[in-house]
Amino acid sequence: MQLDLLLMVLVWRMLPGGLLWLFLALSCLLPFTWSQTKIPLDTVKSWADAFGEDMYNMVTKYSGSLLLQKKYKDVEPTLKIKEVDGLELVKKFSEEMESMLRRKVEAVERLVEAAEDADLYHEFNASLSFDYYNAVRINEKDEQDNYVELGSEFILEPNEHFNNLLVNTTFSDIQLPTNVYNKDPDILNGVYMSEALNPIFVDNFERDPTLTWQYFGSSTGFFRLYPGIKWTPDENGVLSFDCRNRGWYIQAATSPKDIIIVVDISGSMKGLLLTIAKHTIVTILDTLGENDFVNIIAYNDYVHYVEPCFKGILVQADRDNREHFKQLVDELQAKGVGTVSKALTESFRILREVRVFTYLIGREVSFAQNVKWIACNNKGYYTQISTLADVQENVMEYLHVLSRPMVINHDHDIIWTEAYMDSALFASQAQSLLLMTTVAMPVFSKKNETRSHGILLGVVGSDVPLRELLKLAPRYKLGVHGYAFLNTNNGYILSHPDLRPLYKEGKKLKPKPNYNSVDLSEVEWEDWDEILRTAMINGETGFLSMDVKVPVDKGKRVLFLTNDYFFTDISDTPFSLGIVLSRGHGEYILVGNTSVEEGLHDLLQPDLTLANEWIYCITDIDPDHRKLSQLEAVIRFLTGEEPDLECDEELVQEVLFDAVVTAPMEAYWTTLALNLSDENEGGVEMAFMGTRAGLMRSMLYVGSEKLSNSKFLTREDKESIFTMDHFPLWYRRAAEHPSGSFIYSIPFEDSGNSCFKYNWW
């Protein structure tokens, strides 16, 4: 059994000189001198032995490794070893996540109830005059320094909880796409009615301060967002964001569906008609999600599938398939004579219970009655699309029709989206490029006179950053190589350390095209038989083991590990949670017995830091706590200065133990630094150490201005510090080697004198 409570020490960079310089200089000259002077093998071996011995003695001295080993040996009789039950741990994490997500659902349910009640008691007024906060116009003034219409003063302040964006946590505001008139009677009545959501937004946020964005997307097109923000059009002055196109709206408004799109590509469709038809198909594809299945049939003289490989079947409408269909549709050309009957027959062969929705393209009306008859006699809906500008509104009608059974039955289904980054909201500074999921529910009209019509008022939703969810599976409980991951019941990754959703374009980070349709099998590729994937898709609870290869240091090195996987579902969601414990590192925890008084004294030493991304204490809820570092929060918790602080007592106890055991390192390193002279091993710049509890100590042997890497052990160099996502690279590599050995690293990316720069740990 190997415990990953290891001393990690680095002595940074040997400057050119001494044995190191002699050795490297000789090795560079060997090809040129070999023919002139043959150096005996024993001589080279003696040089290597001497070099190795000197290196070992130097790093042992400046690291203080022997002292620390002795200190841990001294306290060994008082230690207890606690075995981690991976199955119980994953169940515990799952229950905590389910509890967190349940609070989000309850917040959305309160919004649904408030919206439906507000509509019930609201009477439509065609002449209603009503001013509201328009997210684009707020705080805008005209040339006379007067606020523009719908642009009253709207106080915006930076808020840490919302990524320091300028927000108003007292009121929501309204965004409308460019093609929706902001004073249309339907809009004014809807906005007026939905004012009732403001106090619910605020109350929800007070009940659960971990809530982020809350919103109501109306079926008429307006979007009410809390907290209120200033919305910015794109560079062309256009507001393309339409809440009715978002995945959360579409999934909540309809049930999963099987769709075949049939398009006429006969010669009569040449020119603008075919362009409108293509745009209509693309818009329909954009209304589909991963729970839907689709295919596209084109017809003229004969019937053919736009993708021959999908002939006779339906395929999942995931992002990859939708984009593939869009490309194929764009390549369609009009020719021949249209024979719709064969196309419909082929469609009915695949679909059993069919509803037909027809779109008549262009201004021609001679076929209108026949096309309408087809739709009305097959429980569908007919509409005519005359121009490109008509496409969006007319396509959305089929969703409203499909939602009617849900509305009439009042089926308030809760939906959870796949992981996504809302780049449209990001462009408006309402969101950062963080993976999130959305919980959403439909809002129906409860008025007796319209209940049988099945009127969908809109959809309410709230975002849940996946990073916040994974905080409930803390890194320190999983060991140096351990991690947690989430996936959906479709097999797609919600969160995983190997999911890299962004790429760099110039200086900007952008989402990859298929970032939210990465399958579990693509990151856990050792799961050859998809045993893990299948079990998690089915929501099963269990475990399995796999030998894996883990790339580290940007792919330059590989670790060979045996991982134990534990998994279970998260109740009342389509998600499953998995955790990984690596053999020898995540399955045991050292439990020390240290008093608060003793540990607190050593926590105050200036060379000590804690992993600031870890949650020793919850500091992001109470505004008074947000400015505290994790170390400051722990100290205030232990001294009783902040009795309201909620801290992880198990982790705090580990920190106290590590602080006491490692305390002598400060005095040892300080003594060495004071006695250091230019004549001895003057190339040593720094020594440091870290523990499994995220505690670090460090000592500079030179002035900070002389450091060869000033970013090392700072937040700028994520690979060298404890983060929420991983242990430091030096910790991970050293953990795979026997106690007492040193690992050497040469920074490959450096140039110039890089062959003389060595790291030891």
Side-chain angles (χ1 to χ4, degrees), residues 72 602-603 607-611 614 616 631 651 654-660 662-663 689-697 722 730-731:
Y72 274 109
D602 293 323
L603 273 178
D607 69 322
L608 184 146
T609 61
L610 294 182
W614 290 16
Y616 300 85
L631 180 56
L651 180 55
E654 285 192 47
V655 166
L656 288 174
F657 171 74
D658 289 345
V660 170
T662 63
M689 57 155 293
T691 73
R692 173 169 166 157
L695 178 147
M696 285 190 61
R697 292 182 183 275
F722 291 90
W730 48 266
Y731 195 115

PDB file of all heavy atoms in Angstrom, residues 72 602-603 607-611 614 616 631 651 654-660 662-663 689-697 722 730-731:
ATOM      1  N   TYR A  72       7.397  12.565   9.651  1.00  0.00           N
ATOM      2  CA  TYR A  72       6.248  11.678   9.444  1.00  0.00           C
ATOM      3  C   TYR A  72       6.459  10.338  10.161  1.00  0.00           C
ATOM      4  O   TYR A  72       5.515   9.730  10.665  1.00  0.00           O
ATOM      5  CB  TYR A  72       6.008  11.447   7.942  1.00  0.00           C
ATOM      6  CG  TYR A  72       5.155  12.519   7.313  1.00  0.00           C
ATOM      7  CD1 TYR A  72       5.700  13.449   6.440  1.00  0.00           C
ATOM      8  CD2 TYR A  72       3.789  12.613   7.597  1.00  0.00           C
ATOM      9  CE1 TYR A  72       4.921  14.439   5.866  1.00  0.00           C
ATOM     10  CE2 TYR A  72       3.007  13.594   7.026  1.00  0.00           C
ATOM     11  CZ  TYR A  72       3.569  14.509   6.162  1.00  0.00           C
ATOM     12  OH  TYR A  72       2.795  15.489   5.602  1.00  0.00           O
ATOM     13  N   ASP A 602       0.859  26.777  13.461  1.00  0.00           N
ATOM     14  CA  ASP A 602       1.672  26.488  12.287  1.00  0.00           C
ATOM     15  C   ASP A 602       1.019  26.945  10.985  1.00  0.00           C
ATOM     16  O   ASP A 602       1.697  27.170   9.982  1.00  0.00           O
ATOM     17  CB  ASP A 602       1.979  24.988  12.218  1.00  0.00           C
ATOM     18  CG  ASP A 602       2.882  24.541  13.370  1.00  0.00           C
ATOM     19  OD1 ASP A 602       3.771  25.322  13.737  1.00  0.00           O
ATOM     20  OD2 ASP A 602       2.683  23.429  13.876  1.00  0.00           O
ATOM     21  N   LEU A 603      -0.302  27.085  10.984  1.00  0.00           N
ATOM     22  CA  LEU A 603      -0.985  27.607   9.801  1.00  0.00           C
ATOM     23  C   LEU A 603      -0.632  29.064   9.531  1.00  0.00           C
ATOM     24  O   LEU A 603      -0.745  29.545   8.402  1.00  0.00           O
ATOM     25  CB  LEU A 603      -2.510  27.493   9.962  1.00  0.00           C
ATOM     26  CG  LEU A 603      -3.183  26.178   9.549  1.00  0.00           C
ATOM     27  CD1 LEU A 603      -4.677  26.260   9.822  1.00  0.00           C
ATOM     28  CD2 LEU A 603      -2.935  25.868   8.085  1.00  0.00           C
ATOM     29  N   ASP A 607       5.295  30.944   5.068  1.00  0.00           N
ATOM     30  CA  ASP A 607       5.636  30.149   3.880  1.00  0.00           C
ATOM     31  C   ASP A 607       4.520  29.198   3.474  1.00  0.00           C
ATOM     32  O   ASP A 607       4.664  28.447   2.520  1.00  0.00           O
ATOM     33  CB  ASP A 607       6.913  29.344   4.144  1.00  0.00           C
ATOM     34  CG  ASP A 607       6.689  28.231   5.169  1.00  0.00           C
ATOM     35  OD1 ASP A 607       5.945  28.470   6.141  1.00  0.00           O
ATOM     36  OD2 ASP A 607       7.249  27.132   4.984  1.00  0.00           O
ATOM     37  N   LEU A 608       3.402  29.213   4.190  1.00  0.00           N
ATOM     38  CA  LEU A 608       2.342  28.223   3.979  1.00  0.00           C
ATOM     39  C   LEU A 608       1.198  28.817   3.148  1.00  0.00           C
ATOM     40  O   LEU A 608       0.762  29.948   3.370  1.00  0.00           O
ATOM     41  CB  LEU A 608       1.813  27.735   5.329  1.00  0.00           C
ATOM     42  CG  LEU A 608       0.768  26.616   5.314  1.00  0.00           C
ATOM     43  CD1 LEU A 608       0.960  25.708   6.528  1.00  0.00           C
ATOM     44  CD2 LEU A 608      -0.651  27.172   5.318  1.00  0.00           C
ATOM     45  N   THR A 609       0.708  28.035   2.196  1.00  0.00           N
ATOM     46  CA  THR A 609      -0.472  28.412   1.409  1.00  0.00           C
ATOM     47  C   THR A 609      -1.387  27.200   1.272  1.00  0.00           C
ATOM     48  O   THR A 609      -0.956  26.053   1.461  1.00  0.00           O
ATOM     49  CB  THR A 609      -0.086  28.901  -0.002  1.00  0.00           C
ATOM     50  OG1 THR A 609       0.592  27.842  -0.692  1.00  0.00           O
ATOM     51  CG2 THR A 609       0.798  30.139   0.062  1.00  0.00           C
ATOM     52  N   LEU A 610      -2.646  27.473   0.917  1.00  0.00           N
ATOM     53  CA  LEU A 610      -3.614  26.413   0.644  1.00  0.00           C
ATOM     54  C   LEU A 610      -4.127  26.556  -0.788  1.00  0.00           C
ATOM     55  O   LEU A 610      -4.079  27.641  -1.375  1.00  0.00           O
ATOM     56  CB  LEU A 610      -4.793  26.479   1.615  1.00  0.00           C
ATOM     57  CG  LEU A 610      -4.508  26.207   3.089  1.00  0.00           C
ATOM     58  CD1 LEU A 610      -5.797  26.273   3.907  1.00  0.00           C
ATOM     59  CD2 LEU A 610      -3.846  24.850   3.280  1.00  0.00           C
ATOM     60  N   ALA A 611      -4.633  25.456  -1.315  1.00  0.00           N
ATOM     61  CA  ALA A 611      -5.191  25.465  -2.675  1.00  0.00           C
ATOM     62  C   ALA A 611      -6.434  26.350  -2.699  1.00  0.00           C
ATOM     63  O   ALA A 611      -7.476  25.971  -2.167  1.00  0.00           O
ATOM     64  CB  ALA A 611      -5.542  24.041  -3.100  1.00  0.00           C
ATOM     65  N   TRP A 614      -9.794  25.011  -4.036  1.00  0.00           N
ATOM     66  CA  TRP A 614     -10.472  23.982  -3.269  1.00  0.00           C
ATOM     67  C   TRP A 614     -11.429  24.640  -2.285  1.00  0.00           C
ATOM     68  O   TRP A 614     -11.272  25.817  -1.935  1.00  0.00           O
ATOM     69  CB  TRP A 614      -9.465  23.115  -2.518  1.00  0.00           C
ATOM     70  CG  TRP A 614      -8.649  22.221  -3.404  1.00  0.00           C
ATOM     71  CD1 TRP A 614      -8.485  22.318  -4.756  1.00  0.00           C
ATOM     72  CD2 TRP A 614      -7.872  21.096  -2.993  1.00  0.00           C
ATOM     73  NE1 TRP A 614      -7.662  21.335  -5.215  1.00  0.00           N
ATOM     74  CE2 TRP A 614      -7.265  20.565  -4.158  1.00  0.00           C
ATOM     75  CE3 TRP A 614      -7.624  20.493  -1.776  1.00  0.00           C
ATOM     76  CZ2 TRP A 614      -6.435  19.443  -4.113  1.00  0.00           C
ATOM     77  CZ3 TRP A 614      -6.787  19.374  -1.732  1.00  0.00           C
ATOM     78  CH2 TRP A 614      -6.211  18.862  -2.893  1.00  0.00           C
ATOM     79  N   TYR A 616     -12.275  24.523   1.225  1.00  0.00           N
ATOM     80  CA  TYR A 616     -12.105  24.201   2.642  1.00  0.00           C
ATOM     81  C   TYR A 616     -13.286  24.792   3.409  1.00  0.00           C
ATOM     82  O   TYR A 616     -13.830  24.165   4.311  1.00  0.00           O
ATOM     83  CB  TYR A 616     -10.794  24.784   3.176  1.00  0.00           C
ATOM     84  CG  TYR A 616      -9.553  24.282   2.466  1.00  0.00           C
ATOM     85  CD1 TYR A 616      -9.111  24.876   1.287  1.00  0.00           C
ATOM     86  CD2 TYR A 616      -8.827  23.209   2.967  1.00  0.00           C
ATOM     87  CE1 TYR A 616      -7.978  24.423   0.630  1.00  0.00           C
ATOM     88  CE2 TYR A 616      -7.689  22.745   2.317  1.00  0.00           C
ATOM     89  CZ  TYR A 616      -7.270  23.358   1.140  1.00  0.00           C
ATOM     90  OH  TYR A 616      -6.149  22.897   0.495  1.00  0.00           O
ATOM     91  N   LEU A 631      -7.316  30.131   2.925  1.00  0.00           N
ATOM     92  CA  LEU A 631      -6.510  30.083   4.141  1.00  0.00           C
ATOM     93  C   LEU A 631      -7.069  31.031   5.197  1.00  0.00           C
ATOM     94  O   LEU A 631      -7.181  30.663   6.371  1.00  0.00           O
ATOM     95  CB  LEU A 631      -5.053  30.436   3.822  1.00  0.00           C
ATOM     96  CG  LEU A 631      -4.081  30.439   5.010  1.00  0.00           C
ATOM     97  CD1 LEU A 631      -4.086  29.092   5.728  1.00  0.00           C
ATOM     98  CD2 LEU A 631      -2.671  30.794   4.540  1.00  0.00           C
ATOM     99  N   LEU A 651     -11.459  17.907   5.874  1.00  0.00           N
ATOM    100  CA  LEU A 651     -10.342  18.484   5.136  1.00  0.00           C
ATOM    101  C   LEU A 651      -9.547  19.443   6.017  1.00  0.00           C
ATOM    102  O   LEU A 651      -8.308  19.463   5.972  1.00  0.00           O
ATOM    103  CB  LEU A 651     -10.853  19.213   3.893  1.00  0.00           C
ATOM    104  CG  LEU A 651      -9.808  19.886   2.998  1.00  0.00           C
ATOM    105  CD1 LEU A 651      -8.736  18.887   2.558  1.00  0.00           C
ATOM    106  CD2 LEU A 651     -10.468  20.519   1.786  1.00  0.00           C
ATOM    107  N   GLU A 654      -7.217  17.508   8.136  1.00  0.00           N
ATOM    108  CA  GLU A 654      -6.041  17.069   7.387  1.00  0.00           C
ATOM    109  C   GLU A 654      -5.030  18.200   7.250  1.00  0.00           C
ATOM    110  O   GLU A 654      -3.811  17.992   7.353  1.00  0.00           O
ATOM    111  CB  GLU A 654      -6.457  16.580   5.998  1.00  0.00           C
ATOM    112  CG  GLU A 654      -7.124  15.212   5.982  1.00  0.00           C
ATOM    113  CD  GLU A 654      -7.245  14.663   4.566  1.00  0.00           C
ATOM    114  OE1 GLU A 654      -6.246  14.721   3.817  1.00  0.00           O
ATOM    115  OE2 GLU A 654      -8.331  14.184   4.208  1.00  0.00           O
ATOM    116  N   VAL A 655      -5.525  19.413   7.018  1.00  0.00           N
ATOM    117  CA  VAL A 655      -4.650  20.574   6.880  1.00  0.00           C
ATOM    118  C   VAL A 655      -3.903  20.834   8.186  1.00  0.00           C
ATOM    119  O   VAL A 655      -2.693  21.110   8.188  1.00  0.00           O
ATOM    120  CB  VAL A 655      -5.461  21.817   6.456  1.00  0.00           C
ATOM    121  CG1 VAL A 655      -4.637  23.087   6.638  1.00  0.00           C
ATOM    122  CG2 VAL A 655      -5.904  21.689   5.008  1.00  0.00           C
ATOM    123  N   LEU A 656      -4.608  20.765   9.317  1.00  0.00           N
ATOM    124  CA  LEU A 656      -3.968  20.981  10.620  1.00  0.00           C
ATOM    125  C   LEU A 656      -2.841  19.984  10.847  1.00  0.00           C
ATOM    126  O   LEU A 656      -1.744  20.345  11.293  1.00  0.00           O
ATOM    127  CB  LEU A 656      -5.006  20.866  11.737  1.00  0.00           C
ATOM    128  CG  LEU A 656      -6.024  22.008  11.855  1.00  0.00           C
ATOM    129  CD1 LEU A 656      -7.062  21.668  12.924  1.00  0.00           C
ATOM    130  CD2 LEU A 656      -5.336  23.313  12.192  1.00  0.00           C
ATOM    131  N   PHE A 657      -3.114  18.725  10.520  1.00  0.00           N
ATOM    132  CA  PHE A 657      -2.100  17.685  10.701  1.00  0.00           C
ATOM    133  C   PHE A 657      -0.876  17.959   9.826  1.00  0.00           C
ATOM    134  O   PHE A 657       0.271  17.928  10.289  1.00  0.00           O
ATOM    135  CB  PHE A 657      -2.705  16.319  10.366  1.00  0.00           C
ATOM    136  CG  PHE A 657      -1.698  15.206  10.310  1.00  0.00           C
ATOM    137  CD1 PHE A 657      -1.143  14.685  11.479  1.00  0.00           C
ATOM    138  CD2 PHE A 657      -1.289  14.683   9.100  1.00  0.00           C
ATOM    139  CE1 PHE A 657      -0.205  13.666  11.428  1.00  0.00           C
ATOM    140  CE2 PHE A 657      -0.362  13.665   9.031  1.00  0.00           C
ATOM    141  CZ  PHE A 657       0.186  13.156  10.208  1.00  0.00           C
ATOM    142  N   ASP A 658      -1.118  18.260   8.545  1.00  0.00           N
ATOM    143  CA  ASP A 658      -0.003  18.519   7.629  1.00  0.00           C
ATOM    144  C   ASP A 658       0.782  19.760   8.049  1.00  0.00           C
ATOM    145  O   ASP A 658       2.010  19.808   7.907  1.00  0.00           O
ATOM    146  CB  ASP A 658      -0.522  18.699   6.206  1.00  0.00           C
ATOM    147  CG  ASP A 658      -1.008  17.389   5.595  1.00  0.00           C
ATOM    148  OD1 ASP A 658      -0.679  16.327   6.154  1.00  0.00           O
ATOM    149  OD2 ASP A 658      -1.701  17.427   4.564  1.00  0.00           O
ATOM    150  N   ALA A 659       0.071  20.771   8.545  1.00  0.00           N
ATOM    151  CA  ALA A 659       0.742  22.009   8.955  1.00  0.00           C
ATOM    152  C   ALA A 659       1.719  21.736  10.096  1.00  0.00           C
ATOM    153  O   ALA A 659       2.836  22.269  10.124  1.00  0.00           O
ATOM    154  CB  ALA A 659      -0.286  23.054   9.368  1.00  0.00           C
ATOM    155  N   VAL A 660       1.309  20.920  11.052  1.00  0.00           N
ATOM    156  CA  VAL A 660       2.161  20.626  12.208  1.00  0.00           C
ATOM    157  C   VAL A 660       3.379  19.785  11.792  1.00  0.00           C
ATOM    158  O   VAL A 660       4.518  20.082  12.171  1.00  0.00           O
ATOM    159  CB  VAL A 660       1.348  19.893  13.297  1.00  0.00           C
ATOM    160  CG1 VAL A 660       2.270  19.374  14.398  1.00  0.00           C
ATOM    161  CG2 VAL A 660       0.295  20.828  13.882  1.00  0.00           C
ATOM    162  N   THR A 662       4.792  19.422   8.880  1.00  0.00           N
ATOM    163  CA  THR A 662       5.713  20.078   7.940  1.00  0.00           C
ATOM    164  C   THR A 662       6.284  21.392   8.474  1.00  0.00           C
ATOM    165  O   THR A 662       7.121  22.010   7.811  1.00  0.00           O
ATOM    166  CB  THR A 662       4.993  20.376   6.605  1.00  0.00           C
ATOM    167  OG1 THR A 662       3.911  21.304   6.849  1.00  0.00           O
ATOM    168  CG2 THR A 662       4.439  19.106   5.986  1.00  0.00           C
ATOM    169  N   ALA A 663       5.865  21.813   9.664  1.00  0.00           N
ATOM    170  CA  ALA A 663       6.316  23.105  10.205  1.00  0.00           C
ATOM    171  C   ALA A 663       7.837  23.239  10.303  1.00  0.00           C
ATOM    172  O   ALA A 663       8.379  24.321  10.024  1.00  0.00           O
ATOM    173  CB  ALA A 663       5.678  23.346  11.570  1.00  0.00           C
ATOM    174  N   MET A 689       7.198  22.134  -1.236  1.00  0.00           N
ATOM    175  CA  MET A 689       6.568  20.845  -0.968  1.00  0.00           C
ATOM    176  C   MET A 689       5.056  21.003  -0.976  1.00  0.00           C
ATOM    177  O   MET A 689       4.521  22.102  -0.855  1.00  0.00           O
ATOM    178  CB  MET A 689       7.010  20.305   0.390  1.00  0.00           C
ATOM    179  CG  MET A 689       6.721  21.229   1.551  1.00  0.00           C
ATOM    180  SD  MET A 689       6.560  20.341   3.106  1.00  0.00           S
ATOM    181  CE  MET A 689       5.070  19.418   2.803  1.00  0.00           C
ATOM    182  N   GLY A 690       4.360  19.887  -1.159  1.00  0.00           N
ATOM    183  CA  GLY A 690       2.908  19.893  -1.133  1.00  0.00           C
ATOM    184  C   GLY A 690       2.377  18.624  -0.532  1.00  0.00           C
ATOM    185  O   GLY A 690       3.057  17.595  -0.522  1.00  0.00           O
ATOM    186  N   THR A 691       1.171  18.665   0.001  1.00  0.00           N
ATOM    187  CA  THR A 691       0.545  17.482   0.607  1.00  0.00           C
ATOM    188  C   THR A 691      -0.805  17.227  -0.038  1.00  0.00           C
ATOM    189  O   THR A 691      -1.347  18.076  -0.744  1.00  0.00           O
ATOM    190  CB  THR A 691       0.332  17.666   2.121  1.00  0.00           C
ATOM    191  OG1 THR A 691      -0.748  18.591   2.339  1.00  0.00           O
ATOM    192  CG2 THR A 691       1.591  18.195   2.788  1.00  0.00           C
ATOM    193  N   ARG A 692      -1.367  16.084   0.233  1.00  0.00           N
ATOM    194  CA  ARG A 692      -2.643  15.690  -0.361  1.00  0.00           C
ATOM    195  C   ARG A 692      -3.764  16.645   0.029  1.00  0.00           C
ATOM    196  O   ARG A 692      -4.749  16.788  -0.691  1.00  0.00           O
ATOM    197  CB  ARG A 692      -2.991  14.264   0.078  1.00  0.00           C
ATOM    198  CG  ARG A 692      -4.381  13.820  -0.360  1.00  0.00           C
ATOM    199  CD  ARG A 692      -4.593  12.357  -0.143  1.00  0.00           C
ATOM    200  NE  ARG A 692      -6.005  12.023  -0.260  1.00  0.00           N
ATOM    201  CZ  ARG A 692      -6.463  10.826  -0.542  1.00  0.00           C
ATOM    202  NH1 ARG A 692      -5.624   9.843  -0.733  1.00  0.00           N
ATOM    203  NH2 ARG A 692      -7.748  10.592  -0.630  1.00  0.00           N
ATOM    204  N   ALA A 693      -3.628  17.321   1.157  1.00  0.00           N
ATOM    205  CA  ALA A 693      -4.670  18.253   1.611  1.00  0.00           C
ATOM    206  C   ALA A 693      -4.582  19.602   0.923  1.00  0.00           C
ATOM    207  O   ALA A 693      -5.321  20.524   1.250  1.00  0.00           O
ATOM    208  CB  ALA A 693      -4.581  18.443   3.125  1.00  0.00           C
ATOM    209  N   GLY A 694      -3.682  19.742  -0.078  1.00  0.00           N
ATOM    210  CA  GLY A 694      -3.571  20.994  -0.809  1.00  0.00           C
ATOM    211  C   GLY A 694      -2.707  22.029  -0.116  1.00  0.00           C
ATOM    212  O   GLY A 694      -2.669  23.190  -0.535  1.00  0.00           O
ATOM    213  N   LEU A 695      -1.992  21.629   0.936  1.00  0.00           N
ATOM    214  CA  LEU A 695      -1.107  22.545   1.656  1.00  0.00           C
ATOM    215  C   LEU A 695       0.239  22.606   0.941  1.00  0.00           C
ATOM    216  O   LEU A 695       0.765  21.584   0.502  1.00  0.00           O
ATOM    217  CB  LEU A 695      -0.931  22.071   3.092  1.00  0.00           C
ATOM    218  CG  LEU A 695       0.011  22.864   4.007  1.00  0.00           C
ATOM    219  CD1 LEU A 695      -0.508  22.813   5.446  1.00  0.00           C
ATOM    220  CD2 LEU A 695       1.440  22.327   3.967  1.00  0.00           C
ATOM    221  N   MET A 696       0.783  23.811   0.828  1.00  0.00           N
ATOM    222  CA  MET A 696       2.096  23.986   0.213  1.00  0.00           C
ATOM    223  C   MET A 696       2.974  24.878   1.067  1.00  0.00           C
ATOM    224  O   MET A 696       2.485  25.797   1.728  1.00  0.00           O
ATOM    225  CB  MET A 696       1.967  24.607  -1.182  1.00  0.00           C
ATOM    226  CG  MET A 696       1.465  23.646  -2.237  1.00  0.00           C
ATOM    227  SD  MET A 696       1.596  24.351  -3.900  1.00  0.00           S
ATOM    228  CE  MET A 696       3.353  24.609  -4.000  1.00  0.00           C
ATOM    229  N   ARG A 697       4.266  24.562   1.085  1.00  0.00           N
ATOM    230  CA  ARG A 697       5.285  25.430   1.687  1.00  0.00           C
ATOM    231  C   ARG A 697       6.367  25.646   0.640  1.00  0.00           C
ATOM    232  O   ARG A 697       6.642  24.759  -0.175  1.00  0.00           O
ATOM    233  CB  ARG A 697       5.896  24.790   2.937  1.00  0.00           C
ATOM    234  CG  ARG A 697       4.946  24.668   4.119  1.00  0.00           C
ATOM    235  CD  ARG A 697       5.657  24.077   5.325  1.00  0.00           C
ATOM    236  NE  ARG A 697       4.784  23.881   6.466  1.00  0.00           N
ATOM    237  CZ  ARG A 697       4.490  24.812   7.364  1.00  0.00           C
ATOM    238  NH1 ARG A 697       5.021  26.027   7.247  1.00  0.00           N
ATOM    239  NH2 ARG A 697       3.703  24.549   8.385  1.00  0.00           N
ATOM    240  N   PHE A 722      -2.216  23.395  -7.138  1.00  0.00           N
ATOM    241  CA  PHE A 722      -3.424  22.619  -6.894  1.00  0.00           C
ATOM    242  C   PHE A 722      -4.617  23.400  -7.445  1.00  0.00           C
ATOM    243  O   PHE A 722      -4.851  24.544  -7.062  1.00  0.00           O
ATOM    244  CB  PHE A 722      -3.632  22.392  -5.397  1.00  0.00           C
ATOM    245  CG  PHE A 722      -2.626  21.477  -4.753  1.00  0.00           C
ATOM    246  CD1 PHE A 722      -1.447  21.987  -4.214  1.00  0.00           C
ATOM    247  CD2 PHE A 722      -2.856  20.118  -4.677  1.00  0.00           C
ATOM    248  CE1 PHE A 722      -0.523  21.151  -3.605  1.00  0.00           C
ATOM    249  CE2 PHE A 722      -1.936  19.266  -4.070  1.00  0.00           C
ATOM    250  CZ  PHE A 722      -0.761  19.780  -3.530  1.00  0.00           C
ATOM    251  N   TRP A 730       3.976  18.254 -10.991  1.00  0.00           N
ATOM    252  CA  TRP A 730       5.113  17.704 -10.249  1.00  0.00           C
ATOM    253  C   TRP A 730       4.645  16.712  -9.179  1.00  0.00           C
ATOM    254  O   TRP A 730       5.331  15.746  -8.882  1.00  0.00           O
ATOM    255  CB  TRP A 730       5.949  18.822  -9.629  1.00  0.00           C
ATOM    256  CG  TRP A 730       5.190  19.877  -8.875  1.00  0.00           C
ATOM    257  CD1 TRP A 730       4.740  21.062  -9.359  1.00  0.00           C
ATOM    258  CD2 TRP A 730       4.810  19.841  -7.496  1.00  0.00           C
ATOM    259  NE1 TRP A 730       4.100  21.779  -8.370  1.00  0.00           N
ATOM    260  CE2 TRP A 730       4.133  21.048  -7.214  1.00  0.00           C
ATOM    261  CE3 TRP A 730       4.978  18.909  -6.468  1.00  0.00           C
ATOM    262  CZ2 TRP A 730       3.608  21.354  -5.954  1.00  0.00           C
ATOM    263  CZ3 TRP A 730       4.471  19.213  -5.211  1.00  0.00           C
ATOM    264  CH2 TRP A 730       3.787  20.419  -4.962  1.00  0.00           C
ATOM    265  N   TYR A 731       3.482  16.943  -8.602  1.00  0.00           N
ATOM    266  CA  TYR A 731       2.930  16.029  -7.596  1.00  0.00           C
ATOM    267  C   TYR A 731       2.519  14.705  -8.265  1.00  0.00           C
ATOM    268  O   TYR A 731       2.836  13.614  -7.789  1.00  0.00           O
ATOM    269  CB  TYR A 731       1.723  16.691  -6.927  1.00  0.00           C
ATOM    270  CG  TYR A 731       1.270  16.048  -5.634  1.00  0.00           C
ATOM    271  CD1 TYR A 731       1.357  16.725  -4.429  1.00  0.00           C
ATOM    272  CD2 TYR A 731       0.737  14.763  -5.609  1.00  0.00           C
ATOM    273  CE1 TYR A 731       0.925  16.149  -3.236  1.00  0.00           C
ATOM    274  CE2 TYR A 731       0.311  14.177  -4.433  1.00  0.00           C
ATOM    275  CZ  TYR A 731       0.402  14.868  -3.243  1.00  0.00           C
ATOM    276  OH  TYR A 731      -0.025  14.290  -2.065  1.00  0.00           O
TER     277      TYR A 731
END
